[in-house]
Amino acid sequence: MKRFLQTLFFFLSAVYPFIIYWGQQHVSPLVMSLFILAIIILRASTFGVPNRSGLLWLLSGGILVFLTYLSDQYDPLYWYPALANLVLLFIFGYSLYSPPTVIERIARLQDPNLPFYAIEYTRKVTIAWCLFFIINGVLAAATTLYGDQVIWTIYNGIIAYSLIATLFVIEWLYRQHYRKKHADT
């Protein structure tokens, strides 16, 4: 059941821009803020909040929902993609100063005994993701400030995820080359 709820959370997060776009045309900001609150609670209940990153997600999402409730406007909910990039930048960036990095932790799930060159590589990949979160966050904020809901939805619902997928593919391809290079030495 927990796996299903985690998958549901990731799905709802991925379609968030489309939910907001649809919701603005069909339901009040109060109803939408309650729906978003349910997503935040789903995240907290399936991934847990005892750690700093969980609390950061809960707090940042809760602030947007609260501001939406207070203003009775959709505007705060449009900031979620920019805020999500900021939170991810903080989590990944903090791990650079408090190792192991996020990417190293993920890599150790497959290979607990990473060689030194792999640890250095995961650090560089973590830096690359930090740069991505900066650029993507700025673009997400720009689409919010521009105020065109269609552009915001297309960028945050399609283009941003396409860029994420592209970065994953490029990194995976490069990692194969990097492994082969170090396996030969």
Side-chain angles (χ1 to χ4, degrees), residues 145-163:
L145 292 171
Y146 186 67
D148 185 307
Q149 297 154 354
V150 173
I151 291 172
W152 179 87
T153 303
I154 290 170
Y155 181 79
N156 292 291
I158 298 171
I159 296 172
Y161 286 107
S162 298
L163 292 172

Side-chain angles (χ1 to χ4, degrees), residues 17 22 41 59 64-65 71 84 90 93 104 112 120 151 165 169 176 179 185:
W22 175 87
I41 292 169
L59 179 64
L64 291 181
V65 167
S71 68
F90 176 79
E104 181 182 340
E120 285 298 311
I151 291 172
V169 169
Q176 305 317 305
R179 279 182 178 164
T185 57

Side-chain angles (χ1 to χ4, degrees), residues 38-85:
I39 293 174
I40 293 167
I41 292 169
L42 175 65
R43 194 242 183 251
S45 65
T46 58
F47 292 94
V49 290
N51 59 39
R52 276 181 284 221
S53 66
L55 289 172
L56 195 55
W57 281 110
L58 192 60
L59 179 64
S60 59
I63 288 170
L64 291 181
V65 167
F66 183 68
L67 291 173
T68 302
Y69 174 77
L70 283 180
S71 68
D72 197 29
Q73 301 289 319
Y74 266 82
D75 295 345
L77 295 178
Y78 280 96
W79 285 99
Y80 178 76
L83 185 61
N85 279 279

Side-chain angles (χ1 to χ4, degrees), residues 19-29 31-32 74:
I19 293 169
I20 297 300
Y21 183 78
W22 175 87
Q24 188 156 10
Q25 298 169 17
H26 295 92
V27 298
S28 74
V31 170
M32 187 55 67
Y74 266 82

Side-chain angles (χ1 to χ4, degrees), residues 130-183:
C130 287
L131 293 172
F132 175 82
F133 295 136
I134 290 168
I135 294 166
N136 196 50
V138 166
L139 291 172
T143 62
T144 301
L145 292 171
Y146 186 67
D148 185 307
Q149 297 154 354
V150 173
I151 291 172
W152 179 87
T153 303
I154 290 170
Y155 181 79
N156 292 291
I158 298 171
I159 296 172
Y161 286 107
S162 298
L163 292 172
I164 291 168
T166 301
L167 185 55
F168 268 117
V169 169
I170 291 169
E171 188 280 323
W172 184 85
L173 290 170
Y174 183 77
R175 186 178 348 133
Q176 305 317 305
H177 166 75
Y178 191 82
R179 279 182 178 164
K180 184 178 179 188
K181 181 174 109 176
H182 281 82

